[in-house]
Amino acid sequence: MLAPNPAPVVIPTLQSWQGGQGRWELHEHSRILIDPSHAEMLRPLAAALARELANVSDIRPQVRQGKAGSEGDITLRLASCDNSSLIGDEGYVLEAGRSLSLCARTRAGLFYASRTLLQMLMLDGQSAGKHRSVPRGHVLDYPRYSERSVMFDVGRKFASVPFLEDYIRFMGWYKLNTLHLHLDDQVNSDDHRSWSMKAFRLKSDNPVFHDLLPSDGQYYTRQDWNRLEEIAAANAVRIVPEIDTPGHAGAIGAARPDLLYQGGTPSGGTLDPSKPQTLAYVESIFAEFLPWFRSDVIHIGGDEASVNQEDISIVSQVNYLNQLGHFLQWRGKQVEMWGSADFAIGLDKSFLIQRWINWGDEAKFNWGEHGFRWTESYGDWYIVPFGPDYFNPKGVRGDALYDGWDNRTPASVMGPHGPTGGQIAVWNDKGARDYDYENTVHGLFKDAIPAAGQVFWRGQAHDATGAPLSYSVLRQSIEILQYGPGTRLFSNSRL
């Protein structure tokens, strides 16, 4: 009797695999069948999958309505999937036999199932463009973390729309689901005596907010944002916008200098949270741009209001953040912010927290034990181009992230008080320097993306005996899988 098929080493690796025997074959008469009861929702996903299959196999299946597939067909179903209670909102079941079925409870789950199918095809050992079979077997797959995030500081260094489009596709290929954009900030001069630039990156057509426009002329219009949201939706990625106040808010203060805290070294980078007018103006900014944002999560920053020798009380900061958060909650949004342990007493526990400080007692503070839901955004996994050594100015290798995520983060990453998500980040503290996202940042960051997908979706990979797999084994698949279908900017930049 033949041995069952071994699990394909897709990235991220599968939660559960039951190998069958033989292979499912894509052929010239294969079809993609969509459930008639969900045809409107599934047709764009099926059409995209057909194009991608043509890219990897040179066969473009026809999309048809139907439920029962013949040999070589692919069916897409939104259903309970054998009543599995494990798959949640992003998991899926893939069954490869004579025909192949993808089943999930949500469109996102089916999208991830389609990534697995395409990766399985690409790993069949055939030449590029001729991938036409996958091992028969049963996949039950679902994520470790609900938030699997990449953050770009576009406030201090602008990222073009085409670059962000391709990164969204790149992220979706490795099942990362959140693009966090830090939209306003300033750059401290090398001598720390002045601000070398300040920028807020959203352009409103409302003349009331004209003074928010950055002096470098680089910003996102409503049309730009809509385009990014559409690409994100197609790739099961949500865009979490961050407008950071009261610290890191020099660009907002430049538009309203009457709201600035009068102090600090250098001065002019922090809003005064104790002034009622500050909250009113910041709320007006959020109200202006909320119609742009499709994410149910809005990030309000909240960090480092006293980092430049400002004398701003914890009480005034917590009061300001609570009021701003409630303003957004009343408009149907979930509020996220950077964590500071000093805020834990008094801060609304419905806010999502990102733990980021990687030194001192703050790094050991477990927000879950204090009643908060939180994401691990640990500073060891930041990239700061031209920054200090402890912020990885030469980039983060996938091996280091894969081996270090669970071992180097001091607060518990497991159990009931562990994080609901993970994030890797690019900060541009030296954003006044001459570099860009397409070349410098991408070169430093790209190797970490597949590793982040692995760590945040599956964690440590194991072979059929339960033994851990080294990242060198995963890298063999990554060498083949690269950036996934549809990316354009990175064709000459291999992983």
Side-chain angles (χ1 to χ4, degrees):
M1 183 175 180
L2 296 176
N5 292 321
V9 186
V10 296
I11 309 296
T13 53
L14 305 171
Q15 293 283 2
S16 174
W17 165 262
Q18 295 177 354
Q21 295 179 345
R23 301 185 70 83
W24 170 84
E25 299 281 346
L26 182 70
H27 55 69
E28 297 289 346
H29 301 291
S30 295
R31 302 168 299 168
I32 299 176
L33 301 178
I34 55 176
D35 188 336
S37 60
H38 298 100
E40 184 175 353
M41 179 185 295
L42 295 180
R43 188 172 288 108
L45 176 62
L49 178 58
R51 292 193 299 270
E52 292 164 336
L53 286 168
N55 180 267
V56 303
S57 72
D58 202 29
I59 293 174
R60 184 165 181 163
Q62 295 294 311
V63 176
R64 297 285 186 264
Q65 294 189 33
K67 294 184 178 181
S70 302
E71 184 173 354
D73 286 345
I74 302 166
T75 61
L76 306 183
R77 295 189 300 123
L78 287 173
S80 60
C81 308
D82 301 325
N83 297 314
S84 171
S85 61
L86 292 174
I87 64 173
D89 289 336
E90 294 183 292
Y92 63 91
V93 173
L94 183 155
E95 189 79 43
R98 292 180 65 254
S99 62
L100 189 144
S101 70
L102 309 179
C103 179
R105 290 170 49 186
T106 66
R107 191 260 177 209
L110 280 179
F111 173 79
Y112 294 133
S114 73
R115 301 309 88 184
T116 297
L117 169 58
L118 290 165
Q119 290 193 14
M120 289 170 69
L121 282 164
M122 292 178 68
L123 297 173
D124 70 354
Q126 301 303 308
S127 58
K130 299 296 181 182
H131 303 295
R132 298 181 180 178
S133 73
V134 303
R136 292 187 179 185
H138 178 88
V139 174
L140 175 63
D141 202 18
Y142 49 89
R144 174 191 191 186
Y145 292 152
S146 61
E147 181 175 347
R148 305 178 300 282
S149 181
V150 168
M151 195 221 76
F152 288 141
D153 169 11
V154 298
R156 287 180 283 197
K157 178 65 71 174
F158 185 75
S160 71
V161 170
F163 175 85
L164 293 176
E165 288 180 10
D166 266 359
Y167 248 79
I168 289 168
R169 296 184 180 100
F170 184 21
M171 290 168 57
W173 185 234
Y174 292 105
K175 298 186 175 70
L176 297 167
N177 70 351
T178 302
L179 177 62
H180 172 180
L181 294 179
H182 178 81
L183 293 166
D184 66 310
D185 217 318
Q186 61 255 0
V187 175
N188 209 335
S189 62
D190 288 340
D191 62 9
H192 299 284
R193 295 181 179 179
S194 63
W195 301 112
S196 61
M197 61 86 69
K198 302 175 182 178
F200 181 90
R201 298 299 185 186
L202 301 179
K203 179 186 183 294
S204 169
D205 292 329
N206 187 339
V208 171
F209 300 102
H210 175 78
D211 290 342
L212 285 175
L213 291 177
S215 60
D216 63 9
Q218 294 183 306
Y219 48 72
Y220 306 110
T221 64
R222 178 70 181 270
Q223 184 178 10
D224 293 333
W225 197 270
N226 285 344
R227 172 63 179 166
L228 291 175
E229 292 279 15
E230 289 167 4
I231 298 295
N235 289 273
V237 171
R238 66 175 178 176
I239 302 175
V240 172
E242 179 191 350
I243 298 175
D244 197 353
T245 65
H248 296 274
I252 297 174
R256 285 290 303 271
D258 59 304
L259 303 180
L260 285 168
Y261 171 79
Q262 300 303 313
T265 306
S267 62
T270 301
L271 302 178
D272 189 338
S274 67
K275 292 182 177 180
Q277 302 95 322
T278 299
L279 180 64
Y281 183 61
V282 172
E283 287 178 346
S284 75
I285 294 173
F286 274 103
E288 176 69 14
F289 293 106
L290 277 180
W292 293 30
F293 305 147
R294 302 184 190 180
S295 170
D296 60 342
V297 176
I298 304 294
H299 204 296
I300 61 173
D303 61 314
E304 297 187 317
S306 296
V307 73
N308 295 303
Q309 302 179 28
E310 294 91 345
D311 184 19
I312 300 175
S313 72
I314 297 298
V315 171
S316 68
Q317 292 179 65
V318 170
N319 183 55
Y320 167 86
L321 293 168
N322 279 340
Q323 291 183 77
L324 177 58
H326 295 158
F327 171 84
L328 294 169
Q329 288 176 335
W330 292 334
R331 283 152 184 82
K333 299 298 185 180
Q334 172 69 64
V335 175
E336 189 168 37
M337 61 172 287
W338 301 110
S340 173
D342 291 338
F343 293 176
I345 298 176
L347 192 68
D348 190 318
K349 286 184 167 52
S350 67
F351 295 174
L352 306 176
I353 301 296
Q354 285 193 288
R355 192 180 72 89
W356 61 279
I357 296 176
N358 60 336
W359 60 84
D361 292 339
E362 184 86 28
K364 302 174 184 177
F365 190 84
N366 187 311
W367 285 87
E369 294 175 351
H370 292 80
F372 292 87
R373 292 173 57 209
W374 63 287
T375 291
E376 180 62 271
S377 183
Y378 194 51
D380 274 19
W381 309 114
Y382 289 175
I383 290 174
V384 179
F386 304 103
D389 287 344
Y390 52 82
F391 280 149
N392 304 303
K394 297 181 180 179
V396 169
R397 294 284 296 172
D399 317 63
L401 180 60
Y402 178 73
D403 294 333
W405 179 264
D406 285 345
N407 298 322
R408 287 169 57 184
T409 50
S412 172
V413 296
M414 304 298 289
H417 301 305
T420 60
Q423 177 174 275
I424 57 175
V426 174
W427 288 102
N428 292 301
D429 299 50
K430 304 295 182 179
R433 301 233 184 153
D434 184 18
Y435 68 93
D436 60 20
Y437 269 89
E438 285 78 1
N439 298 291
T440 305
V441 171
H442 176 58
L444 298 173
F445 203 51
K446 62 183 181 179
D447 202 60
I449 296 296
Q454 176 67 39
V455 170
F456 299 163
W457 180 278
R458 180 64 178 90
Q460 180 79 49
H462 298 82
D463 65 17
T465 69
L469 289 179
S470 70
Y471 198 70
S472 62
V473 174
L474 306 188
R475 194 177 287 282
Q476 294 174 32
S477 292
I478 295 167
E479 288 283 346
I480 297 169
L481 300 174
Q482 290 296 306
Y483 299 97
T487 56
R488 296 160 295 173
L489 295 179
F490 313 138
S491 59
N492 296 320
S493 174
R494 290 188 64 81
L495 289 168

